[in-house]
Amino acid sequence: MNRTMLKALPAAITLALACGAAVADEEGFHGYFRVGAGSTTAGDGGPQGCFGLGGNTMKYRLGNECDAYFEGGYTKEIAKSGGVSYVATVWANVYSPNSDFGDKKLGLNKAFIEAKGLDFLNGGTAWMGKRFYYRPDIHMLDLQYINMNGTGAGLDRIGAGPGKFSYAFFKDRDTNTLDANGKVVGTPSAIRQNFIYGDVPVNTDGTFDIAATIITAEGKNDDALGQKHNGWQVSLFHKQAKVFGGANTFGVQYGVGPGTGIGVGNGQMGASGYTSLGSDVKRVRVFNDLWIQPTENMGMEMVALVQKDKSDAGGSSTWTSLGVRPVYAFNQNLKMVVELGTDRVTDSRGPTKRLTKLTLAPTISAGPGLWSRPELRAFVTYGKWNQAATASVNASNNSGPIYNNGTSGTSFGVQVESWF
């Protein structure tokens, strides 16, 4: 990859992570993977230990991922008619909770076709199938703060006034629940409708998106599994480009019942959470994610986040997180990456939990930029938490409760991460 392409990577990554509805994949083979190997100083050593509070939180990921993941596939124009391009995308993925993929089976996470450039959609796109859809993230936390992935159909990026409108229909958890005799006793399925109005210019180099979800539970009259509930969420995002060579995203989100996303990953709002959640279950999230690249050799990502969850049964909890990842490149292919993150969870039912994680990672990279990949990292990670957090740190660690009653730990290892 030449120097000019490397300089363009930050803008490309920002577009891929933070743009409006459903950025189309470019034609060709593309993907992402991370895999590593590490150990810990806890106990007698053994598998790498990771540091997080679990529950409704996410952990700072540099030198703190004990798993392995791959996804990749191909995008190809398969037909063209009357100026409309028909593009097919098929991707597979595989996940392991530890460093070895072993005999883990491939899954299919994309299989869809787009019809691009339709005149009657004002240049918009129609699509059907299974796909990733509108899932920008905070990279340091691996938190897709909104995620509309699924199987369904939609109309994307239709010019409407100053912005673009997108609508998508999804069917989630499309299964029945059976009793011991094989009789259908209910269903966890839901119909999900997503609405996005985005790319609305509001200031110089700044745009505004609003993304809403309506979730309709199925099987609402089935007493065998209890009452089912509908839900909804609405999210507002302001995206500011050209901030010291980078970009800033500020978001405010609110969800009710299944609209909180609880039950999908780490509560990815925009998807259908458990339909057993009533209107007493609420989530509010406010965050700011900033990355900068003021010079070719120096970049940084910074995040601040507050998330409050509340329900009649569980009371209330608030997750507060602050983190920074500075990167300094010594030359074109060697840099030092540092990540410092601190999390606090206050809970109406118990004491406050605190965790701080620090990672130092000398890195061989395809370029000096913050987003240059691949990166081949060696790392040392130190975690420190209070006694109230000990059980949570042990429970959320892929390697099990290796920290026992301790309140600190160190892990070390290597990891490669790449997107292409």
Side-chain angles (χ1 to χ4, degrees):
M1 186 176 290
N2 61 39
R3 197 176 185 88
T4 301
M5 291 177 67
L6 288 171
K7 288 182 178 180
L9 267 175
I13 296 300
T14 300
L15 178 66
L17 297 182
C19 71
V23 175
D25 297 299
E26 294 182 359
E27 186 164 296
F29 178 67
H30 303 285
Y32 167 88
F33 72 88
R34 64 172 183 266
V35 64
S39 191
T40 180
T41 60
D44 297 323
Q48 177 189 347
C50 285
F51 309 103
L53 293 177
N56 292 331
T57 74
M58 296 292 285
K59 65 180 185 292
Y60 285 91
R61 64 189 295 192
L62 181 68
N64 200 33
E65 292 177 302
C66 295
D67 56 3
Y69 181 70
F70 166 83
E71 64 182 39
Y74 204 82
T75 295
K76 176 70 176 177
E77 183 182 71
I78 57 174
K80 197 160 188 175
S81 174
V84 177
S85 175
Y86 293 84
V87 178
T89 297
V90 178
W91 277 39
N93 70 327
V94 60
Y95 173 79
S96 172
N98 49 48
S99 62
D100 188 359
F101 283 112
D103 59 356
K104 303 299 180 183
K105 295 182 180 179
L106 283 173
L108 194 65
N109 54 11
K110 293 186 187 182
F112 68 99
I113 290 179
E114 301 165 283
K116 300 182 179 181
L118 295 164
D119 289 341
F120 62 86
L121 293 182
N122 196 17
T125 297
W127 64 270
M128 291 185 182
K130 177 180 175 68
R131 69 175 304 171
F132 293 161
Y133 190 81
Y134 195 67
R135 55 170 207 156
D137 77 341
I138 298 173
H139 180 76
M140 276 200 302
L141 290 170
D142 202 16
L143 172 62
Q144 293 170 4
Y145 47 85
I146 191 164
N147 181 314
M148 297 179 175
N149 296 353
T151 301
L155 306 174
D156 274 357
R157 303 182 64 77
I158 303 168
K164 296 183 183 297
F165 174 77
S166 300
Y167 169 79
F169 171 94
F170 294 94
K171 185 68 177 296
D172 295 329
R173 296 193 180 94
D174 196 21
T175 61
N176 283 323
T177 303
L178 310 180
D179 65 13
N181 298 317
K183 178 183 177 182
V184 175
V185 294
T187 178
S189 67
I191 292 171
R192 170 165 53 98
Q193 299 181 78
N194 292 121
F195 307 83
I196 304 168
Y197 187 59
D199 295 340
V200 180
V202 291
N203 62 287
T204 303
D205 299 319
T207 59
F208 175 81
D209 287 5
I210 180 170
T213 304
I214 297 174
I215 298 164
T216 305
E218 298 191 312
K220 289 192 289 292
N221 297 321
D222 176 21
D223 293 331
L225 293 181
Q227 188 178 3
K228 306 297 177 59
H229 301 275
N230 301 330
W232 59 275
Q233 73 83 31
V234 62
S235 298
L236 309 175
F237 307 118
H238 178 265
K239 294 175 287 187
Q240 185 68 44
K242 299 181 181 179
V243 182
F244 297 104
N248 187 80
T249 300
F250 174 76
V252 179
Q253 300 178 270
Y254 182 76
V256 175
T260 60
I262 294 172
V264 181
N266 185 57
Q268 295 169 334
M269 298 174 75
S272 296
Y274 290 135
T275 54
S276 59
L277 303 176
S279 59
D280 63 298
V281 181
K282 298 179 174 66
R283 167 170 289 177
V284 180
R285 181 190 290 145
V286 180
F287 69 89
N288 195 84
D289 183 34
L290 168 68
W291 70 269
I292 59 174
Q293 190 78 48
T295 69
E296 184 179 25
N297 285 17
M298 182 174 292
M300 186 179 301
E301 183 181 9
M302 295 163 277
V303 61
L305 178 148
V306 178
Q307 175 180 294
K308 183 172 183 178
D309 293 291
K310 184 178 180 180
S311 69
D312 290 346
S316 64
S317 67
T318 301
W319 168 37
T320 305
S321 189
L322 292 170
V324 59
R325 184 191 287 193
V327 176
Y328 181 78
F330 302 105
N331 55 43
Q332 188 72 15
N333 298 113
L334 180 64
K335 58 191 181 186
M336 175 62 74
V337 186
V338 179
E339 185 177 87
L340 175 65
T342 183
D343 296 292
R344 183 181 70 172
V345 174
T346 58
D347 196 313
S348 62
R349 299 163 297 179
T352 297
K353 303 172 185 177
R354 295 183 179 87
L355 167 67
T356 298
K357 187 229 73 166
L358 173 66
T359 298
L360 305 178
T363 299
I364 298 172
S365 174
L370 177 68
W371 302 117
S372 298
R373 298 294 187 277
E375 287 189 345
L376 288 73
R377 307 159 177 157
F379 64 83
V380 176
T381 297
Y382 174 75
K384 174 68 176 176
W385 55 93
N386 66 350
Q387 190 64 50
T390 298
S392 296
V393 173
N394 277 312
S396 65
N397 181 26
N398 297 38
S399 301
I402 60 176
Y403 302 112
N404 298 313
N405 295 321
T407 57
S408 66
T410 302
S411 64
F412 54 92
V414 295
Q415 185 197 48
V416 58
E417 181 185 49
S418 184
W419 46 67
F420 50 91

